Amino acid sequence: MAEADPADVVADGVDQVSLEDQFKGAQREMVAELNDAAKKEGADTSLISFGKKDTDEALWRFLIQVGWNLLSALDLVKSACEWHSRNRGTLDGVLRDTFAKKPGMFSLRQVGHDKEGRPLLFICFAQNSATPAEHTVDSIISFAQHIAENAGRTNRQGAAGKEGKTFTLVVDCSGIQPKAILKPTMLVKVHQTMTLLYPSTVDSILLFNYGPEVRNTWKELKGYLDEELAAKVKFVAVQNASRTLTTKFPHDEGQWLRDELAANKTLPLSDDQIHFWAQGSEHDPRAAPPYVAAFIDKRPAGHEPHPGILYGEKPEKPVEGE
């Protein structure tokens, strides 16, 4: 049996919405026109999609980003294709070497899906082991690109809505040092590059376990982002946390987030939470049970979980009685 093309592999249980339903009339014609124009300019448009079958959906997102201006979208598509062509081949080796030595360098990871089928991404700053010197624009972009590419292939959401296929990001602010990490120049560069590569892909960014310093820093930084993205950042107060998790996420993902957020709130972190890339003794910090079963235990072609899970050594568990 021939091995499946990784770009064509789709998550278990994904219902694919036909392109005929996704794109109507003039919009569909503009997508085709943009694809033809990009190819005439020598751009490989398959590089900008999360899979070969998603190229039209990716082009649609680029058009949304620029208000359906064909020439502006063409410029963005060409730049994105050039970036992917130049960098994609080198990222896997860098990530493998980096995370084999330091599995917890960055904690951003896919942990499941929300109720609409969007990939659910999670990050906890207390779990990041990157030093200030390692916390560079290039390292952040290469890692975030790896996570986005793989998470995008598990998207269970059709592209029929205004947003298209998007992500939900939950940010656990435990352990964050806003002034040390959230620097304007770094934020702008990461934002510009990720917006170029994956326009119109963020549905919402939900912040938990934050303090006054985080809110004050956000007031200073949000002016560096475009208004549309800044509007998607929501601070979830303690009294609203349970309701938000119940409303936004399926039961398993919602419960996992409750447990993970609670476990990370107590500093210093336990060994299980520090070693989030390994299965814990009680709570599993890697991800919610459905994601663990479908994408970590099974490892389907076309999707890779957090590189620490793939390449990092598992911490030795203490022997009982010692």
Side-chain angles (χ1 to χ4, degrees), residues 83 86-87 91 94-95 105-106 108 130-146 180-195 197:
W83 192 97
R86 185 171 63 251
N87 293 282
L91 292 178
V94 172
L95 287 170
M105 184 171 173
F106 295 121
L108 177 67
T131 65
E134 294 169 331
H135 213 267
T136 65
V137 170
D138 288 342
S139 65
I140 293 171
I141 290 174
S142 62
F143 174 70
Q145 189 257 359
H146 174 86
I181 296 175
L182 302 178
K183 299 176 181 177
T185 53
M186 178 179 294
L187 180 68
V188 168
K189 182 62 176 177
V190 172
H191 170 55
Q192 288 176 339
T193 303
M194 295 305 291
T195 299
L197 300 179

Side-chain angles (χ1 to χ4, degrees), residues 162-176:
K162 177 186 176 184
E163 297 293 344
K165 293 187 176 181
T166 52
F167 300 96
T168 294
L169 172 62
V170 170
V171 179
D172 183 346
C173 297
S174 299
I176 191 173

Side-chain angles (χ1 to χ4, degrees), residues 3-144:
E3 184 177 350
D5 187 328
D8 292 334
V9 173
V10 184
D12 293 342
V14 175
D15 294 324
Q16 292 299 294
V17 179
S18 70
L19 291 176
E20 289 298 318
D21 292 333
Q22 293 176 19
F23 310 113
K24 303 296 182 181
Q27 292 183 352
R28 188 166 63 247
E29 292 176 5
M30 284 191 71
V31 168
E33 188 175 352
L34 175 59
N35 195 21
D36 290 341
K39 289 181 177 179
K40 288 179 181 178
E41 296 276 348
D44 180 0
T45 54
S46 69
L47 293 174
I48 63 171
S49 65
F50 297 124
K52 290 180 180 177
K53 296 178 181 178
D54 288 338
T55 298
D56 282 357
E57 186 272 332
L59 293 169
W60 182 69
R61 286 189 286 101
F62 277 85
L63 285 163
I64 289 177
Q65 183 72 16
V66 295
W68 294 89
N69 183 302
L70 186 63
L71 292 178
S72 296
L74 178 59
D75 288 339
L76 288 180
V77 168
K78 287 163 55 182
S79 296
C81 289
E82 289 171 4
W83 192 97
H84 282 296
S85 179
R86 185 171 63 251
N87 293 282
R88 182 171 287 187
T90 64
L91 292 178
D92 289 344
V94 172
L95 287 170
R96 182 172 56 251
D97 294 342
T98 299
F99 283 85
K101 298 174 183 176
K102 202 166 188 176
M105 184 171 173
F106 295 121
S107 66
L108 177 67
R109 57 199 185 271
Q110 184 179 1
V111 298
H113 295 82
D114 68 11
K115 283 186 176 179
E116 300 300 320
R118 304 178 187 94
L120 165 59
L121 306 182
F122 176 85
I123 182 172
C124 173
F125 288 93
Q127 292 175 327
N128 291 346
S129 63
T131 65
E134 294 169 331
H135 213 267
T136 65
V137 170
D138 288 342
S139 65
I140 293 171
I141 290 174
S142 62
F143 174 70

